[in-house]
Amino acid sequence: EGEDAVKGVKKEEIVLAHEVEVRKFDLERGLVYDIVYEPNVKDTHGDFTTAEEIEKAAHEFLPRAATDVNHDANNNPEVAVVESYIEPTDLIFPNGETVRKGAWVLVTKVFDESLKESILKGEVTGYSLEGKAFRL
């Protein structure tokens, strides 16, 4: 626990996870395309953040990018981050889904055949962003 110097309010450090579903999987090339986090959209904990904070997280993630399955560092199949960018404008996918300006989009390449099968079967359903934050 800490205290916010400006407000004098007690705050607690918590671990947050934000999970998203696989939006596109190109089996032939082994590519998974998905949005990691969108600005001002509530996550599984009812929390949300700004485009500026998302960009900061994306830029801190990439230099030390590590991939694993189910937040298990010992379960690191052959997966690599091949693209990571902040969407510069609102756009609408051909299926009608909207991607908001400021969303963090990530593309990973899956080399592991058993993981590809797990994705196809719906056993692995998307990216999960995990991090620490302070909640007031």
Side-chain angles (χ1 to χ4, degrees):
E1 286 191 12
E3 189 170 312
D4 188 306
V6 177
K7 298 179 183 174
V9 174
K10 288 282 188 187
K11 57 186 177 181
E12 61 177 320
E13 187 176 38
I14 57 171
V15 174
L16 298 174
H18 174 71
E19 297 182 16
V20 293
E21 293 181 19
V22 171
R23 285 180 172 80
K24 181 179 178 193
F25 180 56
D26 182 336
L27 179 62
E28 214 171 278
R29 298 189 306 159
L31 297 175
V32 177
Y33 298 78
D34 215 335
I35 296 167
V36 178
Y37 215 108
E38 287 186 279
N40 304 313
V41 174
K42 287 186 180 182
D43 64 18
T44 53
H45 298 284
D47 296 315
F48 62 92
T49 193
T50 65
E52 293 79 18
E53 287 299 315
I54 292 169
E55 181 178 65
K56 198 162 77 175
H59 291 175
E60 289 175 10
F61 164 80
L62 198 54
R64 60 187 203 306
T67 55
D68 57 50
V69 178
N70 297 322
H71 300 287
D72 179 358
N74 296 318
N75 187 353
N76 193 0
E78 296 180 47
V79 177
V81 173
V82 293
E83 292 181 49
S84 177
Y85 68 93
I86 301 298
E87 182 57 51
T89 184
D90 286 343
L91 87 104
I92 299 175
F93 284 158
N95 68 0
E97 184 177 2
T98 299
V99 179
R100 290 177 177 79
K101 176 181 179 180
W104 177 8
V105 179
L106 191 68
V107 183
T108 51
K109 183 165 182 81
V110 179
F111 302 97
D112 184 276
E113 292 302 320
S114 64
L115 182 55
K116 286 180 186 179
E117 288 300 316
S118 292
I119 293 168
L120 284 174
K121 291 178 184 174
E123 296 168 350
V124 174
T125 58
Y127 300 134
S128 176
L129 174 67
E130 183 178 72
K132 292 185 178 181
F134 285 102
R135 178 175 281 145
L136 299 177

